[in-house]
Amino acid sequence: MPKATHSPDASETDSLLKLVTSGGAIEFDREREGAWIEVIRKMDEVYSDLLRYEVDLEHKNAELEEAQAFVTNVIESVSDILIVCDAKGSVQQVNSAFQRTLGRGHDEIVGKKMADIIDAADFTKLAWLLKPRGTSDVVDGELRFSADGGSSDLFAINSSPRHDHRGRFIGVVLTGRPIGELRRAYEALHKAHHELQRAQRQLVEQEKMASLGRLVAGVAHELNNPISFVYGNIHTLTRYRTAIVAYLDAIHGDAGADDLAALRKRLRVDDILEDFGPLIEGTMEGAVRISEIVKNLRRLSFSRLGEFERVNIERLINTAVLWAVRTKNVRLDVQIEVEPELWISGNEGQLHQVIVNLVENAIDAMRSTASPRLVVSAARKGNEILVRISDNGPGILEDHINHIFEPFFTTKQVGEGTGLGLWISYGIVREHGGELSAVNEPDGGATFSFQLPAV
């Protein structure tokens, strides 16, 4: 058997291949044998790498196809039209929504210039949407497309630029939706907003009517006493008038002195004359009291919204607390501590409503309190006037204290409140330059307070 002892040349390689293919045996020395084994080992490694690379490539291709299918599915599922253009304005990709808009197939659209598929009247608008620009420079416009059977509806178009990995402008992506659809959506939104505003106004009006009802009840209670007093005095004066007329008729008649004296005693003319003064004074006092109530009511009712005037805090608090307590018809200890000559600038009717709301809420909070006590105070604090309404009820729950000024929040039973009283009061105080707040007192109960600029 021949032995290879040196590197084979071309002829020797030829003979070697012949020996291999002919099935003969070749014998190498150890050095040559190791070299050939190393070559074979390297070939096995390369082959293994090729197999592994092929498997990885198949996985990558599968993932790429899956991602491409996903993107295609998303694009086809979008209801808005989508058009991908290159830097020259040629269509590269469209979705099914745009194909349906034009009434043409994918192959009939791709490759065409955008100028060929839009309405001729919109040529001037196209350049603005296709122009090169920065990455974040998104522009809007409106286009009509040339569809089978005429022009399409007007579309609201959004144009986003595309750039390659080097940042070079390579085209735009156009998305659009029919203006008619947008208008319908805006109209529906506007209608819903209008309905919400109307419902809110109705609720606010209901709360105002409830406040007016409580105000009228307080006025009725307040008017009842002086009217009853005046009515009783007038009834008495009517009886006295009958007696005086009878006595005067006797004087102007033929009655003698003895008869007149007896009649004067029987009719108690002297007592009547003595009682005239107190009756007239009492009637006048009742009439003045009624006049003051009517003045207060007129002042509260006819102040125009937004019209500010000088308001006497002492008079405001006394009237509001009196009427609020009268409407509740409960027994409680009321303490009013107001410094004299406190004046602010504001709408007296609105501020009256705030105090009435706060007092009524305090009274409601003390329903289960054995000895309810209400303290209403007002004092000057620098250039402001601090008003406080305190009760000795159970206080406000910690979970509720951050929500009590929210609209429609209420802890009362259904039918007892709308949840708008504190919200409206909060807004009125804010409009007057103050801030309404609530805290729980360490000894129990709650205090609502607000500060307003002093005049």
Coordinates of all heavy atoms in Angstrom, one line a residue, residues 149-203:
G149 N -68.1 56.7 -10.1 CA -69.4 57.3 -10.0 C -69.3 58.8 -9.6 O -70.3 59.4 -9.3
G150 N -68.1 59.3 -9.4 CA -68.0 60.7 -9.0 C -67.1 60.9 -7.8 O -66.3 60.0 -7.5
S151 N -67.1 62.1 -7.2 CA -66.3 62.4 -6.1 C -66.8 61.8 -4.8 O -68.0 61.6 -4.6 CB -66.2 64.0 -5.9 OG -65.6 64.6 -7.0
S152 N -65.9 61.5 -3.9 CA -66.3 60.9 -2.6 C -66.7 62.0 -1.7 O -66.7 63.2 -2.0 CB -65.1 60.1 -2.1 OG -64.0 61.0 -1.7
D153 N -67.1 61.6 -0.5 CA -67.4 62.5 0.6 C -66.1 63.3 1.0 O -65.0 62.8 0.7 CB -67.9 61.8 1.8 CG -69.3 61.3 1.6 OD1 -70.0 61.8 0.7 OD2 -69.7 60.3 2.3
L154 N -66.2 64.4 1.6 CA -65.1 65.1 2.1 C -64.5 64.4 3.3 O -65.2 64.1 4.2 CB -65.5 66.6 2.5 CG -64.4 67.5 2.9 CD1 -63.4 67.7 1.8 CD2 -65.0 68.8 3.4
F155 N -63.2 64.2 3.2 CA -62.5 63.4 4.3 C -61.6 64.4 5.1 O -60.9 65.3 4.5 CB -61.6 62.3 3.7 CG -62.3 61.1 3.4 CD1 -63.2 61.0 2.3 CD2 -62.2 60.0 4.2 CE1 -63.9 59.8 2.0 CE2 -62.9 58.8 3.9 CZ -63.7 58.7 2.8
A156 N -61.5 64.2 6.4 CA -60.6 64.9 7.2 C -59.3 64.1 7.2 O -59.3 63.0 7.7 CB -61.1 65.1 8.6
I157 N -58.2 64.6 6.7 CA -57.0 63.9 6.5 C -55.9 64.3 7.5 O -55.7 65.5 7.7 CB -56.4 64.1 5.1 CG1 -57.5 63.7 4.0 CG2 -55.1 63.3 4.8 CD1 -57.8 62.2 4.0
N158 N -55.2 63.3 8.1 CA -54.1 63.5 8.9 C -52.8 63.0 8.3 O -52.8 61.8 7.9 CB -54.3 62.8 10.3 CG -53.2 63.0 11.3 OD1 -52.2 62.3 11.2 ND2 -53.3 64.0 12.2
S159 N -51.8 63.8 8.1 CA -50.6 63.4 7.4 C -49.4 63.3 8.3 O -49.0 64.3 8.9 CB -50.3 64.4 6.2 OG -49.1 64.1 5.6
S160 N -48.8 62.1 8.5 CA -47.7 61.9 9.3 C -46.5 61.5 8.4 O -46.6 60.7 7.6 CB -47.9 60.8 10.3 OG -49.1 61.0 11.1
P161 N -45.3 62.2 8.7 CA -44.1 61.9 7.8 C -43.5 60.6 8.2 O -43.6 60.1 9.3 CB -43.2 63.1 8.2 CG -43.6 63.5 9.5 CD -45.0 63.2 9.7
R162 N -42.8 60.0 7.2 CA -42.0 58.8 7.3 C -40.5 59.1 7.1 O -40.2 59.8 6.2 CB -42.5 57.7 6.4 CG -43.9 57.2 6.7 CD -44.1 55.9 5.9 NE -44.0 56.1 4.4 CZ -43.3 55.3 3.6 NH1 -42.6 54.2 4.1 NH2 -43.2 55.5 2.3
H163 N -39.6 58.5 7.8 CA -38.2 58.7 7.7 C -37.5 57.3 7.8 O -37.9 56.4 8.5 CB -37.6 59.6 8.7 CG -38.2 61.0 8.6 ND1 -39.4 61.4 9.2 CD2 -37.7 62.1 8.0 CE1 -39.6 62.6 8.9 NE2 -38.6 63.1 8.2
D164 N -36.3 57.2 7.1 CA -35.6 55.9 7.2 C -34.6 56.0 8.4 O -34.7 56.9 9.2 CB -34.8 55.7 5.8 CG -33.8 56.8 5.6 OD1 -33.5 57.6 6.5 OD2 -33.3 56.9 4.4
H165 N -33.8 54.9 8.5 CA -32.9 54.9 9.6 C -31.9 56.0 9.7 O -31.3 56.2 10.7 CB -32.2 53.5 9.6 CG -31.2 53.3 8.5 ND1 -31.7 53.0 7.2 CD2 -29.9 53.4 8.4 CE1 -30.7 52.9 6.4 NE2 -29.5 53.1 7.1
R166 N -31.6 56.6 8.6 CA -30.7 57.8 8.5 C -31.4 59.1 8.7 O -30.8 60.1 8.7 CB -30.0 57.8 7.2 CG -29.1 56.6 6.9 CD -28.4 56.7 5.6 NE -27.5 55.6 5.3 CZ -26.8 55.4 4.2 NH1 -26.9 56.3 3.3 NH2 -26.1 54.3 4.0
G167 N -32.7 59.1 8.9 CA -33.5 60.3 9.2 C -33.9 61.0 7.9 O -34.4 62.1 8.0
R168 N -33.7 60.4 6.8 CA -34.1 61.0 5.5 C -35.6 60.8 5.3 O -36.2 59.8 5.5 CB -33.3 60.4 4.3 CG -31.8 60.7 4.4 CD -31.1 60.1 3.2 NE -31.3 58.6 3.2 CZ -30.7 57.8 2.3 NH1 -29.9 58.3 1.4 NH2 -30.9 56.5 2.4
F169 N -36.3 61.9 4.8 CA -37.7 61.8 4.5 C -37.9 60.9 3.3 O -37.4 61.0 2.2 CB -38.2 63.2 4.1 CG -39.6 63.3 3.7 CD1 -40.6 63.2 4.7 CD2 -40.0 63.4 2.4 CE1 -42.0 63.3 4.3 CE2 -41.3 63.4 2.0 CZ -42.3 63.4 3.0
I170 N -38.9 59.9 3.5 CA -39.1 58.9 2.5 C -40.6 58.8 2.1 O -41.0 58.0 1.3 CB -38.6 57.5 2.9 CG1 -39.3 57.0 4.2 CG2 -37.1 57.5 3.1 CD1 -39.0 55.6 4.6
G171 N -41.4 59.7 2.7 CA -42.8 59.6 2.3 C -43.7 60.0 3.5 O -43.3 60.5 4.5
V172 N -45.0 59.8 3.3 CA -46.0 60.1 4.4 C -47.0 59.0 4.5 O -47.2 58.1 3.6 CB -46.8 61.4 4.0 CG1 -45.8 62.6 4.0 CG2 -47.5 61.3 2.7
V173 N -47.7 59.0 5.7 CA -48.8 58.1 5.9 C -50.1 59.0 6.1 O -50.1 59.9 7.0 CB -48.6 57.2 7.1 CG1 -49.8 56.4 7.4 CG2 -47.4 56.3 7.0
L174 N -51.1 58.8 5.2 CA -52.3 59.6 5.3 C -53.4 58.7 5.9 O -53.6 57.6 5.5 CB -52.7 60.0 3.9 CG -51.7 60.8 3.1 CD1 -52.2 61.1 1.7 CD2 -51.3 62.1 3.8
T175 N -54.1 59.2 6.9 CA -55.2 58.6 7.5 C -56.4 59.6 7.5 O -56.2 60.8 7.6 CB -55.0 58.2 9.0 OG1 -54.6 59.3 9.7 CG2 -53.9 57.1 9.0
G176 N -57.6 59.1 7.3 CA -58.7 60.0 7.1 C -60.0 59.4 7.5 O -60.2 58.2 7.6
R177 N -61.0 60.3 7.8 CA -62.3 59.8 8.2 C -63.3 60.8 7.6 O -63.0 62.0 7.5 CB -62.5 59.8 9.7 CG -63.9 59.5 10.2 CD -64.0 59.4 11.7 NE -63.2 58.2 12.1 CZ -63.2 57.8 13.4 NH1 -63.8 58.5 14.3 NH2 -62.5 56.8 13.8
P178 N -64.5 60.4 7.1 CA -65.4 61.3 6.5 C -65.9 62.4 7.4 O -66.1 62.1 8.6 CB -66.6 60.3 6.1 CG -66.0 59.0 6.0 CD -64.9 58.9 7.0
I179 N -65.9 63.6 6.9 CA -66.3 64.7 7.7 C -67.7 64.5 8.2 O -68.0 64.9 9.4 CB -66.2 66.0 6.9 CG1 -64.7 66.3 6.6 CG2 -66.8 67.2 7.7 CD1 -63.9 66.7 7.7
G180 N -68.6 64.0 7.4 CA -70.0 63.7 7.8 C -70.0 62.9 9.1 O -70.8 63.2 10.0
E181 N -69.2 61.9 9.2 CA -69.2 61.0 10.4 C -68.7 61.8 11.6 O -69.3 61.7 12.7 CB -68.3 59.8 10.1 CG -68.3 58.8 11.3 CD -67.4 57.6 10.9 OE1 -67.1 57.4 9.8 OE2 -67.0 56.9 11.9
L182 N -67.7 62.6 11.4 CA -67.2 63.4 12.5 C -68.2 64.4 12.9 O -68.4 64.7 14.1 CB -65.9 64.2 12.0 CG -64.6 63.3 11.8 CD1 -63.5 64.2 11.3 CD2 -64.2 62.7 13.1
R183 N -68.9 65.0 11.9 CA -69.9 66.0 12.3 C -71.0 65.3 13.1 O -71.5 65.9 14.1 CB -70.5 66.6 11.1 CG -69.6 67.7 10.5 CD -70.1 68.3 9.2 NE -69.2 69.3 8.6 CZ -69.3 69.7 7.4 NH1 -70.2 69.2 6.6 NH2 -68.5 70.7 7.0
R184 N -71.4 64.1 12.7 CA -72.4 63.4 13.5 C -72.0 63.1 14.9 O -72.7 63.2 15.9 CB -72.8 62.1 12.8 CG -73.7 62.3 11.5 CD -74.3 61.0 11.0 NE -73.2 60.1 10.6 CZ -72.7 60.1 9.3 NH1 -73.2 60.9 8.4 NH2 -71.8 59.2 9.0
A185 N -70.7 62.7 15.0 CA -70.1 62.5 16.3 C -70.1 63.7 17.2 O -70.5 63.7 18.4 CB -68.7 61.9 16.2
Y186 N -69.7 64.9 16.6 CA -69.7 66.1 17.3 C -71.1 66.6 17.7 O -71.3 67.1 18.8 CB -69.0 67.2 16.4 CG -67.5 67.1 16.3 CD1 -66.8 67.3 15.1 CD2 -66.7 66.8 17.5 CE1 -65.5 67.1 15.0 CE2 -65.4 66.6 17.4 CZ -64.7 66.8 16.2 OH -63.4 66.7 16.1
E187 N -72.0 66.4 16.8 CA -73.4 66.7 17.1 C -73.9 65.9 18.2 O -74.6 66.4 19.1 CB -74.3 66.6 15.8 CG -74.0 67.6 14.8 CD -74.8 67.4 13.5 OE1 -75.5 66.3 13.5 OE2 -74.7 68.2 12.6
A188 N -73.6 64.6 18.2 CA -74.1 63.7 19.3 C -73.4 64.2 20.6 O -74.1 64.2 21.7 CB -73.7 62.3 19.0
L189 N -72.1 64.5 20.6 CA -71.4 65.0 21.8 C -72.0 66.3 22.3 O -72.2 66.5 23.5 CB -69.9 65.1 21.5 CG -69.0 65.6 22.6 CD1 -69.1 64.6 23.8 CD2 -67.6 65.8 22.1
H190 N -72.3 67.2 21.3 CA -72.8 68.5 21.7 C -74.2 68.3 22.3 O -74.6 69.0 23.3 CB -72.9 69.4 20.4 CG -73.6 70.7 20.7 ND1 -73.0 71.7 21.4 CD2 -74.8 71.2 20.3 CE1 -73.8 72.7 21.5 NE2 -74.9 72.4 20.8
K191 N -75.0 67.4 21.7 CA -76.3 67.1 22.3 C -76.3 66.6 23.7 O -77.0 67.0 24.6 CB -77.1 66.2 21.3 CG -78.5 65.9 21.8 CD -79.2 65.0 20.8 CE -80.7 64.7 21.3 NZ -81.3 63.8 20.3
A192 N -75.3 65.6 23.9 CA -75.2 65.0 25.2 C -74.7 66.1 26.2 O -75.2 66.1 27.3 CB -74.2 63.9 25.1
H193 N -73.8 66.9 25.8 CA -73.3 68.0 26.6 C -74.5 69.0 27.0 O -74.6 69.4 28.1 CB -72.2 68.8 26.0 CG -71.6 69.9 26.8 ND1 -71.0 69.7 28.0 CD2 -71.6 71.2 26.6 CE1 -70.6 70.8 28.5 NE2 -71.0 71.8 27.7
H194 N -75.3 69.3 26.0 CA -76.4 70.2 26.2 C -77.4 69.6 27.2 O -77.9 70.2 28.1 CB -77.1 70.5 24.9 CG -78.3 71.4 25.0 ND1 -78.2 72.7 25.2 CD2 -79.6 71.1 24.9 CE1 -79.4 73.3 25.3 NE2 -80.3 72.3 25.1
E195 N -77.7 68.3 27.0 CA -78.6 67.6 27.9 C -78.1 67.6 29.3 O -78.8 67.7 30.3 CB -78.9 66.1 27.4 CG -79.7 66.1 26.1 CD -81.1 66.6 26.3 OE1 -81.6 66.4 27.4 OE2 -81.6 67.1 25.3
L196 N -76.8 67.4 29.4 CA -76.2 67.3 30.8 C -76.3 68.7 31.4 O -76.6 68.8 32.6 CB -74.7 66.9 30.7 CG -73.9 66.8 32.0 CD1 -74.5 65.8 32.9 CD2 -72.4 66.5 31.7
Q197 N -76.0 69.8 30.6 CA -76.1 71.1 31.2 C -77.6 71.4 31.6 O -77.8 72.0 32.6 CB -75.7 72.1 30.1 CG -74.2 72.2 29.9 CD -73.8 73.3 29.0 OE1 -74.5 73.5 28.0 NE2 -72.7 74.0 29.2
R198 N -78.5 71.0 30.7 CA -79.9 71.2 31.1 C -80.3 70.5 32.4 O -81.0 71.0 33.2 CB -80.8 70.7 29.9 CG -82.3 71.0 30.1 CD -83.1 70.6 28.8 NE -83.0 69.2 28.6 CZ -83.8 68.3 29.2 NH1 -84.7 68.7 30.1 NH2 -83.7 67.0 29.0
A199 N -79.9 69.2 32.5 CA -80.2 68.4 33.7 C -79.6 69.1 34.9 O -80.2 69.2 36.0 CB -79.7 67.0 33.6
Q200 N -78.3 69.6 34.8 CA -77.7 70.3 35.9 C -78.5 71.6 36.3 O -78.7 71.9 37.4 CB -76.2 70.6 35.5 CG -75.5 71.3 36.6 CD -74.0 71.6 36.2 OE1 -73.7 71.7 35.1 NE2 -73.2 71.8 37.2
R201 N -78.9 72.3 35.2 CA -79.7 73.5 35.5 C -81.0 73.2 36.2 O -81.4 73.9 37.2 CB -79.9 74.3 34.2 CG -78.7 75.1 33.7 CD -79.2 76.1 32.6 NE -79.9 75.4 31.5 CZ -79.2 75.0 30.4 NH1 -77.9 75.2 30.3 NH2 -79.9 74.4 29.4
Q202 N -81.6 72.1 35.8 CA -82.8 71.7 36.5 C -82.6 71.4 37.9 O -83.4 71.8 38.8 CB -83.5 70.5 35.7 CG -84.1 70.9 34.4 CD -84.7 69.7 33.7 OE1 -84.4 68.5 34.0 NE2 -85.5 69.9 32.7
L203 N -81.5 70.6 38.2 CA -81.2 70.2 39.6 C -80.9 71.5 40.4 O -81.3 71.6 41.6 CB -80.1 69.2 39.6 CG -80.4 67.8 39.1 CD1 -79.1 67.0 39.0 CD2 -81.4 67.2 40.0

